[in-house]
Amino acid sequence: MPALKGVGLLKGLGVTLKTMTRPAATRQYPHVKPDLPARSRGVIALIEENCTVCMLCARECPDWCIYIDSHKEQVAPKEGGRARTRNLLDRFAIDFALCMYCGICVEVCPFDALHWSPEFEYAEHQIEKLTHEMDTLRTWAYSVPAPDPLEEGAIEPKEIESARKAREAVAAKAAAAAEQARAAAPPVPAPAAAATQPAAATTTGAAAGTATTTPTAAAPTPVAGDAAPAASAGAAGAGTTTAAARPADVEVEPGIDQATYDRLLAAGESDRTARAKAKAAYMRRAKAEARAAQAAGATEPAPAPAAPAEAAAPTQVPAGEGAPAAEPASVETPAAATAAPETAPPAPSAVGTPEGAEPAADARDPDARSPEGDPTASGTAAEVVAPGAAAAQADAEHLEIEVDQETYDRLIEAGEPERTARAKAKAAYARKLRAAQRDGGGAGS
Amino acid sequence: MATELGQQGGAAFQAADGTGVGIIVRDKADRELHTQDMTLNVGPQHPATHGVLRVLVTLDGEMIEDAQPVIGYMHRSFEKLAEYRDYRQIIALVNRHDWVSSICNELGVALVVERQMDLEVPERATWIRMLMAEWTRVLNHLMFVGSYPLELGAITPMFYAFREREEIQALMEWITGGRLHLTYCRVGGLKQDLPRGAIQMSRDLVPRMRERLKEYEDLVLGNEIFAARTKGIGVLPADVACSYGVSGALLQAAGVPEDSRKTEPYLFYDQVEFDVPTGRNGDSYDRYATLLARIRESLRIIEQVNERIPPGPVNVKLPKVVRAPQGHAYVRTEAPLGQLSYYMVSHNEKTPWRFKMRTPSFNNVSSLPYLLKGTLLPDMIAVMGSMFFIVGDIDR
Amino acid sequence: MIDAARDLLDNYWVLMPVKVLAVLAIFLTFPLVVGYMEHKVMAHMQARLGPMEAGRFHGVLQLVADGIKFVQKESIIPKAADKWVFALAPAVALIPAILVFGFIPYGPDLVPIRSDVGLFVTLALSSVSVIGVLMAAWSSANKYSLMGGIRAAAQLIAYELPLVLAAAAVAMQAGSADLAVIVERQGWWGYIVGPLVIGFFVYGTAALAELTRPPFDMPVADSELVFGHLTEYTGLRFAFFLLTEYAGIVSQSAIAATLFLGGWKGPFLDGPWWLAAKVLALSFVVIWARSTYPRLREDQLQSFAWLRLVPVSLALLLVVGFLKVYEVGI
């Protein structure tokens, strides 16, 4: 029996007595709700309008707890274009009894349809009730908080960066256009219909900007931080306006961009890939040219308002066939451009009008789903924000990544394995490409 | 019937610290009275096994004649599962074998895949990884700093430990969004950068934790009853520890200053100053004291890391599907419980072909039969609690 | 009017039920108060709040709620258990704990059962509870319970001795084993001024061990023996054991207060409230020890009892006897 000297015993008593006199560290949970941070993994919320049924989340889920049903639908061709098929979401359910809350689905979702909401009070008495369908998942989207700003020294996320540049570009353009409009006499060549439409379109964007106080509006901006309101406004502007410009789609003869093809083959790509990419490149260029020509003509009742197209321009990146949203080439029509920023602030009520609803619904069109038969397609400002941000991100994600030959050679010489060299070279290429686009966009085409 | 103070049976009737007294009952022919041994299943459902470890003990009175740990109740076939998971999913998976040191586990996976891909991780990411790993270590150690006295009957330290853990947990939740399974590391960096103010919060936490550690020293370490229960109990000599592959606080308490952070530095552990605390006797008391000292060292590292996080990216841009090139890689890291190693064989697919894990708890617990033989039943609790194991980490 | 009431109370058949009811009332309130105090004090020592919901105000009715819950629980008797013994054990533990309350002097004339060997009757009664524990342990047919029971028995034997010796020192000093007389012969400061303060500590330690309260709770050590003799008990029977434990804290505190702290005497306004205050203060210390200390090992406890407490209490007896014989006043 070691001697019980007693000093340690008394000290222990002192510690507990001291603690007793201090306030408790616990909080009375049902009365006091926990203050959860924005990144809290409480429950997965779905913004179903953003979902393109790409199935990435369901495939990447480590325990396969996401159930997705969809059907294909033919979309009527517009203006003589060819018909497209599109996946429509029938069911999106998450079994939270299986879910391990790893967040991989949210991370891989390319269109920001999935978000973490800090809500956690959804316990059930029966395990099967933990499988939540889209309607429930949608309601959680309203409590998705704005993300935290990043620590000092962090790299600005590309979504925020592009939104910020877009915002700056739009502001610069508007200022320039206003200047120009004041200098020149107002020509007003656009027909009445065209005039109302850009107004409506821009109001949706503006309304989205002002609506960031509502949870939904804040929700879809993935990494906005303190720039959140601005970013969503910018992104929303881009989204809606590109969509409004979409009817200006043109048909061009398919062809192949020989230069790209050769380059890709040389870079060691397979023939098939090279051909596809070359074709895509050709089509892009051809369409852009055709559209530019069309806009220059400007006699047909094209509902393609220039202002939206301009707003879209800064964030525009060649998105390939997959994302026609970003396709419209920038065209200069100063009058409409001036109209947009000026009419924007006072006109949120216009959102509800048929003219407003039309482009808004269209805005969700390219990547999301058809406006017909969709109960949520009311074209409210808040909903339009989402596809905007999604499109912006989609653009960023869907770069055509090729190999930066210079880097590749350098790395191979440095003794890197072939694979690593290629990966790094690709990364380098992507970086360059994006930088180039950003600069181009920032300069304001 | 003759009685005599215990000489025969030696340790059998002496407590391990040599202070106990016992009585041997002899029959008329002066033979020791034969008693029947009792077999007792401690676990798989037992409060002291914190989890589902089962120890089959053979008891003579309260004296343990034999103890066999029976493991596998929580076998979840991690290694096989990993063969069917891509690397990001593996990171989410390994969070779960030692569920109180998730970042340290996922760090090991990230490191082994990066080593195989020959990937350079941005500096900022590496420093943040260190920050998170050390906070996780503190979290893990606090858990045992609290639960060990609980097993010895002192309830309060557990609550204090959880109070402290909660404060650190708030930081972790703010940064990663998770509380237990943080899933923050990625191959090539991190999931995302820190939220603004996180480094400041981490700075503020360090002195507060240091202050709180004193409470444990007063309440537990300095307590004579605690010392009486743990000193000289479960002595694990350095050579035996090494032969069992014991690592972490247990090995250090035996006087071996082995710590992968020092002996085979990964991340930037070679750029920060810290010591490897060692014990002298290798008993339960030393193990507990080592644990507290390790928290102090971790706080020291955190203090340095807080000031050294450079600006820059936290991620390498990787293709959508990460494939590790053909070959194999091995990484050993110092997880809070000891040496944690991952060995990966890749066939240039998006999943590893083989994913072997060497978890600290498994080896540490394998020394239990050695430690328990000849101790008393209450000492078994004192020994098992000081093994600092997580059953999921034993069974995988 | 008062005289009439006195006359009425002189009648044995009137007085007896009144006494029984009073003792029962004390038995049913004080242990609950101490139980509630344990919830709250321990919670605050552990940086939390404890019960906050039942009874609206800081969970004052928590133990009542617990009692109602216990009544609703299924009473399970293990198949291999010795059913009668198993069923009887809680009663054997509980009834002596109630009886002890009858011998405590609550005030100058408030002694429900006055006996000239009251001190030893109370001590004897409080150790009967251990028989209940042993019965429970044996009849449960559970290895953990059995070991808990054996530990409890060993502990009782080891600690009864210093407990009685320390009490004997008091009896010697007071010159009587009648609890009422012992109180009367103390000043309001009790016997803790003087050599008997050692007796107080010996008694306190031994009483803690007899109550199987931490740091001497090896018989019910939850992390080793999964609550020893309580392992197989559920529902109301389990509640009885809990009640026994709290009643034991109260009665041991009351005996200690009577022996060493001057019982119902106080610096002013003598009366039962002083005893109540002292009982609560001692109970607080019991709870305080529980929330601070780990438990000892059984053999350490034994050696502590036989090698430390018994010699000390014997020496104390010697000193007190010496002082008494040579009339050096305390």
Side-chain angles (χ1 to χ4, degrees):
Chain A
M1 184 74 222
L4 294 181
K5 288 187 200 77
V7 184
L9 298 180
L10 291 178
K11 264 190 186 169
L13 288 175
V15 171
T16 42
L17 194 67
K18 197 173 70 188
T19 313
M20 196 176 82
T21 58
R22 291 192 181 151
T26 52
R27 272 181 287 177
Q28 292 303 95
Y29 157 60
H31 310 299
V32 182
K33 300 279 178 193
D35 189 16
L36 293 173
R39 290 178 183 179
S40 257
R41 301 205 286 259
V43 73
I44 298 167
L46 168 75
I47 299 175
E48 62 194 65
E49 300 88 318
N50 286 358
C51 180
T52 63
V53 204
C54 67
M55 306 292 282
L56 268 180
C57 52
R59 265 187 291 148
E60 280 292 315
C61 179
D63 41 13
W64 304 296
C65 69
I66 303 179
Y67 309 109
I68 298 177
D69 286 339
S70 68
H71 67 273
K72 279 202 161 67
E73 197 183 72
Q74 288 274 336
V75 179
K78 293 199 175 157
E79 315 228 342
R82 66 196 156 82
R84 293 156 189 256
T85 52
R86 185 163 50 210
N87 279 318
L88 284 187
L89 193 60
D90 294 327
R91 176 177 188 233
F92 191 105
I94 299 179
D95 186 350
F96 284 102
L98 283 181
C99 177
M100 55 189 231
Y101 297 84
C102 62
I104 288 177
C105 54
V106 176
E107 201 178 326
V108 297
C109 181
F111 302 105
D112 284 337
L114 293 173
H115 296 273
W116 279 112
S117 157
E119 275 184 51
F120 59 94
E121 290 166 312
Y122 50 95
E124 295 285 353
H125 287 288
Q126 281 149 316
I127 201 165
E128 64 268 26
K129 285 192 181 163
L130 277 170
T131 306
H132 288 292
E133 302 289 334
M134 339 203 232
D135 45 348
T136 326
L137 298 177
R138 184 69 178 87
T139 58
W140 280 319
Y142 296 110
S143 56
V144 175
D148 288 321
L150 295 183
E151 182 64 280
E152 276 139 49
I155 296 293
E156 193 176 30
K158 53 183 185 289
E159 295 89 344
I160 294 192
E161 194 183 1
S162 62
R164 178 171 57 77
K165 293 227 169 110
R167 197 170 68 240
E168 285 165 10
V170 168
K173 186 113 309 203
E179 200 64 29
Q180 209 179 340
R182 228 174 283 131
V188 202
T196 49
Q197 246 181 356
T202 42
T203 39
T204 51
T210 52
T212 34
T213 43
T214 71
T216 353
T221 55
V223 239
D226 55 355
S232 51
T240 45
T241 46
T242 44
R246 198 182 157 282
D249 223 344
V250 281
E251 270 296 301
V252 284
E253 285 292 312
I256 277 189
D257 188 326
Q258 198 57 43
T260 317
Y261 180 70
D262 294 343
R263 182 167 52 77
L264 286 170
L265 272 192
E269 292 277 350
S270 73
D271 176 70
R272 209 182 127 72
T273 322
R275 187 181 298 279
K277 286 188 179 172
K279 185 179 171 187
Y282 175 80
M283 294 297 279
R284 251 197 323 278
R285 218 184 42 224
K287 281 193 182 180
E289 280 165 12
R291 243 184 257 112
Q294 213 173 50
T299 44
E300 51 186 306
E310 293 217 351
T315 46
Q316 177 199 347
V317 266
E321 297 290 314
E327 277 188 52
S330 44
V331 203
E332 295 277 344
T333 33
T338 40
E342 278 167 16
T343 51
S349 61
V351 176
T353 66
E355 291 94 337
E358 193 55 45
D362 266 354
R364 300 165 37 267
D365 185 11
D367 290 320
R369 34 190 301 152
S370 89
E372 301 86 19
D374 180 0
T376 53
S378 57
T380 64
E383 273 160 3
V384 183
V385 185
Q393 207 199 357
D395 294 345
E397 298 280 341
H398 281 199
L399 283 171
E400 276 179 32
I401 295 181
E402 293 157 13
V403 174
D404 186 294
Q405 199 59 41
E406 191 188 321
T407 319
Y408 180 75
D409 295 343
R410 183 166 49 76
L411 287 170
I412 287 290
E413 268 176 25
E416 295 269 355
E418 198 269 339
R419 228 192 119 66
T420 321
R422 184 185 299 278
K424 286 188 179 172
K426 273 190 183 174
Y429 179 80
R431 264 200 303 280
K432 273 189 201 160
L433 187 64
R434 203 170 283 123
Q437 278 157 2
R438 242 184 261 128
D439 293 344
S445 53
Chain B
M1 292 266 263
T3 60
E4 63 174 52
L5 282 182
Q7 303 148 346
Q8 270 189 337
F13 287 85
Q14 290 239 309
D17 56 355
T19 55
V21 242
I23 293 167
I24 295 176
V25 182
R26 294 177 185 280
D27 62 9
K28 278 178 185 148
D30 202 32
R31 282 185 311 227
E32 208 176 303
L33 201 66
H34 275 281
T35 49
Q36 206 183 346
D37 287 347
M38 181 164 83
T39 308
L40 188 66
N41 269 305
V42 181
Q45 302 291 332
H46 186 278
T49 57
H50 40 100
V52 282
L53 177 69
R54 173 176 160 212
V55 186
L56 199 62
V57 289
T58 310
L59 286 176
D60 178 10
E62 290 222 4
M63 220 262 312
I64 296 172
E65 303 231 299
D66 188 30
Q68 286 302 327
V70 182
I71 64 165
Y73 284 88
M74 210 190 246
H75 180 58
R76 291 163 289 170
S77 67
F78 268 93
E79 293 183 4
K80 201 72 192 167
L81 276 177
E83 290 169 18
Y84 294 89
R85 297 285 182 283
D86 67 31
Y87 296 112
R88 179 163 43 192
Q89 290 173 337
I90 291 176
I91 282 174
L93 182 72
V94 295
N95 269 322
R96 286 155 170 81
H97 61 80
D98 172 2
W99 47 75
V100 282
S101 41
S102 53
I103 291 271
C104 297
N105 299 344
E106 55 195 63
L107 179 65
V109 175
L111 285 175
V112 76
V113 181
E114 281 155 14
R115 184 168 290 184
Q116 180 60 14
M117 291 174 71
D118 212 0
L119 208 62
E120 186 98 3
V121 177
E123 262 192 42
R124 184 180 175 83
T126 308
W127 283 107
I128 295 177
R129 279 176 174 186
M130 261 171 85
L131 179 77
M132 298 299 281
E134 289 311 308
W135 273 126
T136 307
R137 197 181 309 276
V138 175
L139 272 178
N140 177 297
H141 287 353
L142 275 175
M143 184 83 175
F144 290 101
V145 161
S147 75
Y148 185 45
L150 179 75
E151 272 153 39
L152 296 179
I155 350 172
T156 305
M158 192 70 182
F159 290 97
Y160 290 179
F162 268 88
R163 178 186 63 191
E164 268 76 283
R165 271 174 61 89
E166 198 54 42
E167 287 187 20
I168 303 171
Q169 203 73 267
L171 173 69
M172 303 302 255
E173 192 177 7
W174 188 26
I175 293 174
T176 67
R179 290 181 61 83
L180 211 52
H181 306 311
L182 305 177
T183 328
Y184 187 56
C185 291
R186 291 289 181 275
V187 173
L190 299 167
K191 184 176 166 239
Q192 61 198 119
D193 210 305
L194 303 172
R196 191 166 298 162
I199 295 179
Q200 188 55 44
M201 184 173 172
S202 157
R203 268 183 210 131
D204 297 342
L205 267 176
V206 173
R208 216 172 331 150
M209 286 302 139
R210 283 225 174 98
E211 203 179 302
R212 297 279 175 77
L213 282 182
K214 285 192 197 109
E215 282 190 5
Y216 296 99
E217 278 163 14
D218 285 347
L219 186 63
V220 185
L221 211 56
N223 188 310
E224 277 91 349
I225 300 178
F226 179 80
R229 282 300 303 277
T230 54
K231 276 195 175 154
I233 302 299
V235 179
L236 187 65
D239 55 331
V240 180
C242 290
S243 67
Y244 273 109
V246 165
S247 56
L250 278 70
L251 187 62
Q252 290 162 12
V256 184
E258 153 68 33
D259 188 324
S260 311
R261 292 176 294 172
K262 272 273 190 241
T263 49
E264 203 177 293
Y266 53 101
L267 299 181
F268 292 141
Y269 279 114
D270 47 352
Q271 297 182 31
V272 290
E273 267 179 45
F274 69 101
D275 297 321
V276 180
T278 50
R280 211 171 303 153
N281 307 320
D283 55 8
S284 295
Y285 185 86
D286 275 7
R287 290 198 272 271
Y288 191 79
T290 308
L291 208 62
L292 281 175
R294 276 168 67 107
I295 297 183
R296 287 192 185 282
E297 293 306 321
S298 283
L299 290 176
R300 241 175 98 191
I301 298 175
I302 291 165
E303 218 166 33
Q304 297 168 53
V305 173
N306 280 337
E307 309 308 324
R308 294 189 62 172
I309 298 177
V314 291
N315 230 321
V316 179
K317 180 74 188 164
L318 288 173
K320 278 230 175 265
V321 177
V322 177
R323 286 171 204 271
Q326 177 124 17
H328 55 96
Y330 173 82
V331 158
R332 83 179 179 129
T333 59
E334 184 75 10
L337 298 180
Q339 185 190 317
L340 169 71
S341 316
Y342 292 112
Y343 174 69
M344 181 184 84
V345 181
S346 172
H347 280 186
N348 196 11
E349 278 159 11
K350 64 178 199 172
T351 61
W353 181 80
R354 173 83 172 93
F355 194 77
K356 165 90 179 83
M357 40 182 86
R358 184 258 188 230
T359 50
S361 298
F362 179 78
N363 286 57
N364 292 359
V365 163
S366 65
S367 64
L368 261 184
Y370 171 84
L371 287 174
L372 290 182
K373 211 160 278 179
T375 57
L376 296 170
L377 186 69
D379 287 340
M380 167 182 168
I381 310 304
V383 170
M384 265 167 62
S386 69
M387 301 298 290
F388 310 132
F389 62 85
I390 291 283
V391 177
D393 203 33
I394 303 172
D395 292 347
R396 274 110 72 175
Chain C
M1 182 63 198
I2 293 170
D3 285 343
R6 275 231 175 104
D7 286 347
L8 194 62
L9 280 178
D10 273 345
N11 184 334
Y12 177 83
W13 295 107
V14 176
L15 187 60
M16 196 60 203
V18 170
K19 279 180 176 175
V20 167
L21 283 179
V23 166
L24 269 182
I26 291 167
F27 170 74
L28 286 178
T29 49
F30 264 74
L32 291 191
V33 170
V34 170
Y36 174 68
M37 199 165 99
E38 174 159 73
H39 276 313
K40 294 303 272 192
V41 167
M42 220 161 78
H44 283 280
M45 282 181 170
Q46 294 163 349
R48 57 195 177 94
L49 291 169
M52 289 295 281
E53 300 292 323
R56 303 250 167 144
F57 179 77
H58 285 254
V60 281
L61 295 182
Q62 184 60 47
L63 286 193
V64 179
D66 282 351
I68 294 170
K69 183 195 75 183
F70 280 130
V71 170
Q72 293 168 346
K73 293 271 178 187
E74 184 189 359
S75 195
I76 300 169
I77 299 179
K79 209 174 180 184
D82 191 334
K83 289 184 185 52
W84 281 103
V85 182
F86 188 83
L88 271 179
V92 174
L94 187 64
I95 290 167
I98 303 175
L99 286 179
V100 173
F101 287 93
F103 291 88
I104 310 281
Y106 297 99
D109 292 317
L110 283 174
V111 192
I113 308 166
R114 188 157 176 176
S115 159
D116 46 7
V117 285
L119 171 57
F120 294 104
V121 173
T122 47
L123 291 183
L125 278 175
S126 58
S127 44
V128 170
S129 292
V130 179
I131 308 243
V133 170
L134 259 180
M135 284 166 67
W138 179 257
S139 66
S140 292
N142 181 313
K143 289 172 184 173
Y144 289 110
S145 298
L146 178 65
M147 290 175 71
I150 290 168
R151 283 186 185 187
Q155 200 161 316
L156 173 82
I157 293 164
Y159 275 90
E160 200 67 2
L161 205 58
L163 191 81
V164 173
L165 287 175
V170 174
M172 189 186 274
Q173 176 64 37
S176 168
D178 186 337
L179 286 171
V181 176
I182 289 175
V183 175
E184 270 157 28
R185 297 204 176 149
Q186 293 178 47
W188 66 265
W189 55 88
Y191 278 143
I192 48 167
V193 185
L196 276 177
V197 68
I198 299 165
F200 178 63
F201 282 112
V202 170
Y203 187 92
T205 314
L208 267 185
E210 185 160 315
L211 290 170
T212 63
R213 293 285 299 182
F216 309 111
D217 62 336
M218 296 68 107
V220 290
D222 57 319
S223 56
E224 297 162 24
L225 298 182
V226 208
F227 277 108
H229 65 279
L230 294 171
T231 307
E232 300 290 355
Y233 278 90
T234 55
L236 211 50
R237 291 198 178 93
F238 179 74
F240 282 158
F241 273 117
L242 277 189
L243 198 57
T244 309
E245 181 174 343
Y246 290 124
I249 297 174
V250 176
S251 59
Q252 287 292 358
S253 302
I255 297 171
T258 305
L259 292 181
F260 297 97
L261 302 177
W264 42 263
K265 282 187 177 170
F268 51 87
L269 264 179
D270 289 355
W273 36 88
W274 281 108
L275 182 66
K278 285 166 187 173
V279 164
L280 289 182
L282 287 177
S283 307
F284 175 81
V285 175
V286 171
I287 294 162
W288 193 8
R290 180 179 177 199
S291 49
T292 307
Y293 295 139
R295 74 176 64 86
L296 280 163
R297 211 169 48 211
E298 192 64 39
D299 62 304
Q300 290 169 340
L301 174 135
Q302 293 289 341
S303 58
F304 184 59
W306 293 104
L307 302 180
R308 297 290 163 91
L309 291 184
V310 172
V312 165
S313 49
L314 279 172
L316 178 72
L317 208 58
L318 207 68
V319 170
V320 172
F322 180 83
L323 296 177
K324 193 77 184 165
V325 169
Y326 292 96
E327 291 184 343
V328 183
I330 299 174

